[in-house]
Amino acid sequence: LEGDPGMRKIRYSQDEDVLLIELSENPVDHAEEAGQLIVHLSSAGEPVLLGILDAKEFLLGSLSTVMRGADTG
């Protein structure tokens, strides 16, 4: 991830099955939740941290969808 300004750090909590993707060092002002995704935003509305709840299920489901798409296209 070095050199990629879009992602700074990725952490996974196995105990809580949460994937955290740090996008910026800006302070978090508030968060918005949409299903399994929580986007933490700065006071300017810029994404700072992305949290994915039930990460294994989310990622496996996403990967399955991508693979099915690859089979048909």
Side-chain angles (χ1 to χ4, degrees), residues 56-71:
K56 283 183 186 177
E57 175 186 319
F58 180 86
L59 294 172
L60 289 174
S62 297
L63 184 57
S64 294
T65 300
V66 168
M67 295 306 291
R68 279 194 304 271
D71 290 342

Side-chain angles (χ1 to χ4, degrees), residues 1-64:
L1 298 178
E2 285 187 38
D4 182 356
M7 287 190 255
R8 301 185 51 81
K9 290 182 188 173
I10 297 177
R11 296 184 307 257
Y12 175 69
S13 169
Q14 190 170 7
D15 295 338
E16 297 178 18
D17 192 22
V18 175
L19 183 67
L20 298 172
I21 303 170
E22 184 180 316
L23 304 171
S24 155
E25 288 184 350
N26 293 332
V28 173
D29 180 68
H30 64 283
E32 296 182 11
E33 185 173 348
Q36 290 174 265
L37 300 176
I38 301 174
V39 181
H40 300 260
L41 303 162
S42 70
S43 58
E46 298 171 345
V48 175
L49 180 69
L50 177 64
I52 301 174
L53 307 175
D54 300 319
K56 283 183 186 177
E57 175 186 319
F58 180 86
L59 294 172
L60 289 174
S62 297
L63 184 57
S64 294

